[in-house]
Amino acid sequence: MITKKTILTAVIGILVAGNILLGVEFFISQQELKIAEKSVSAQQNSAKVLQFTNLFIEKVLKAQAEISFEDRLKLENSVRDLKDPEILAQWQKFTASQTQQDAQQEVKNLLELLVKKIPL
């Protein structure tokens, strides 16, 4: 004969098992969320790198005249918005170039670095 104690024990066992199952599901979901957040962050960073690259090509490489102060400011803000010390350092090498030959080499280095920063 089934007693109240047996039913109560069964209900408590089911509830404990359910809590354990929900805890495992929660842990798995947290791990998946972290992976998704990293992926979104990487995609956002790639988009920023592409945006800066396009701006750089448009305002620097295709420039027919001297680059305006506003365009220089846009480029500077855009490169700083990337929050990538490697790209920023290469940008500063480019902007600090003293000769046209040095500037051309630093442009090549900058473009190479930008392309490498975009995952396939």
Side-chain angles (χ1 to χ4, degrees):
M1 186 163 156
I2 300 175
T3 64
K4 286 184 179 181
K5 187 176 180 180
T6 306
I7 293 173
L8 187 59
T9 304
V11 168
I12 290 173
I14 291 170
L15 290 174
V16 167
N19 282 343
I20 291 171
L21 180 63
L22 289 174
V24 169
E25 291 281 332
F26 178 75
F27 179 76
I28 291 170
S29 295
Q30 288 292 89
Q31 298 304 315
E32 290 173 351
L33 179 62
K34 287 179 185 177
I35 292 169
E37 286 173 343
K38 285 181 183 179
S39 177
V40 167
S41 177
Q43 288 176 350
Q44 288 173 339
N45 192 45
S46 293
K48 286 181 180 180
V49 170
L50 279 174
Q51 189 177 24
F52 171 72
T53 304
N54 285 334
L55 186 64
F56 182 78
I57 290 169
E58 179 186 332
K59 301 295 183 185
V60 177
L61 298 182
K62 290 185 174 181
Q64 298 296 321
E66 189 172 328
I67 302 165
S68 70
F69 176 77
E70 291 83 19
D71 288 342
R72 282 187 253 156
L73 189 59
K74 279 184 193 175
L75 286 160
E76 187 72 28
N77 288 336
S78 182
V79 77
R80 288 187 185 281
D81 189 41
L82 297 176
K83 295 180 178 94
D84 186 312
E86 195 175 5
I87 293 174
L88 182 59
Q90 185 57 49
W91 168 256
Q92 290 171 339
K93 285 181 185 178
F94 164 68
T95 57
S97 298
Q98 298 297 317
T99 66
Q100 186 175 1
Q101 199 171 28
D102 286 343
Q104 287 176 356
Q105 184 59 46
E106 296 306 334
V107 164
K108 291 175 193 176
N109 294 340
L110 179 60
L111 289 174
E112 179 181 28
L113 180 61
L114 290 169
V115 169
K116 286 181 180 178
K117 292 288 181 168
I118 302 170
L120 298 177

